[in-house]
Amino acid sequence: MPGTRNTGLLALGGIAVAALLTVIGHLEVNDDLSPWALTISDFAVSDRGGVIDVAMVVLALATMALLYGLRRTGPPRPRAATAELLLGAWVAGLLLAAVVPTNEPGTAMTTEAYLHRYASVVAFLALPVSGWLLARRPALAPAARTLRTLVLLSLALAAAMIWSAYPGDRMLIGLAERLLILAEVAVLATVAVTQTRRVTPARGASAGVLLR
């Protein structure tokens, strides 16, 4: 369908910008913060209104571009609608987590911090389930195996992060979260690359086929 290649390119650009901003955000915070022991949210709260929050918003906007492309190519089936709804939950979770801060490392959890945490949990779980459903769509058939592999990796890393957050006493929780985010962003990038490779015939060509 017209426009899907553009949405894929736009999404890839947004993903690249979000990744760059996240790296910059890690370089600008206090040197005492460890990326292995602290989450990205812990880094973000140390630089409120900084580039990590902007990166989350940019990633949400990139996903919205993908979602627009998917709606133009996907069949109107309940399963397709569920995948898109879950992508919307990922977007909402990212935006809410960007706007509502967590607590400073080592301090008591506040209401805002709990809201931030559960918005992040919803986002982290919604995206892999959406990716699994998207792998069944004909338009994404070339990337189906890659999507399923990334989804399974994401779920395994999500389980590792949950273990670290509770019985694991937050051991290497920062590493687990960053690997999880890499896997989930790779799901988005895979969908975006597939969209950029879709070839749409020109209107004249389509009309010529119809007249034959």
Side-chain angles (χ1 to χ4, degrees):
M1 295 293 291
T4 56
R5 187 173 188 275
N6 290 337
T7 59
L9 291 172
L10 185 61
L12 284 175
I15 291 169
V17 170
L20 177 62
L21 291 175
T22 301
V23 171
I24 293 173
H26 278 70
L27 297 176
E28 289 187 345
V29 297
N30 191 323
D31 291 338
D32 294 333
L33 298 180
S34 168
W36 314 116
L38 298 174
T39 66
I40 290 179
S41 296
D42 292 329
F43 273 67
V45 77
S46 300
D47 182 28
R48 288 308 306 161
V51 292
I52 291 180
D53 295 318
V54 175
M56 295 169 69
V57 174
V58 171
L59 186 57
L61 294 175
T63 306
M64 291 174 66
L66 277 186
L67 189 55
Y68 177 76
L70 289 169
R71 290 182 65 87
R72 293 178 66 88
T73 60
R77 297 174 182 174
R79 185 178 295 167
T82 301
E84 293 166 5
L85 181 64
L86 289 168
L87 269 184
W90 155 263
V91 170
L94 276 181
L95 293 176
L96 188 57
V99 173
V100 181
T102 188
N103 58 301
E104 292 277 357
T107 62
M109 291 284 289
T110 62
T111 301
E112 291 79 7
Y114 279 112
L115 183 58
H116 176 96
R117 172 182 290 182
Y118 292 116
S120 300
V121 169
V122 168
F124 284 147
L125 294 180
L127 181 57
V129 178
S130 176
W132 188 267
L133 295 176
L134 289 174
R136 300 176 179 178
R137 296 179 66 161
L140 296 172
R145 179 174 295 182
T146 301
L147 283 173
R148 292 190 180 101
T149 300
L150 290 170
V151 164
L152 292 176
L153 178 60
S154 296
L155 293 175
L157 290 168
M161 187 175 174
I162 291 171
W163 177 86
S164 178
Y166 295 101
D169 196 28
R170 295 178 64 87
M171 182 177 67
L172 295 179
I173 191 170
L175 176 61
E177 186 201 44
R178 284 163 178 79
L179 291 175
L180 171 59
I181 292 173
L182 281 175
E184 297 206 348
V185 170
V187 171
L188 297 175
T190 300
V191 175
V193 168
T194 305
Q195 285 190 357
T196 64
R197 291 175 178 173
R198 290 184 60 80
V199 178
T200 303
R203 288 188 177 183
S206 300
V209 171
L210 292 174
L211 291 172
R212 289 181 183 178

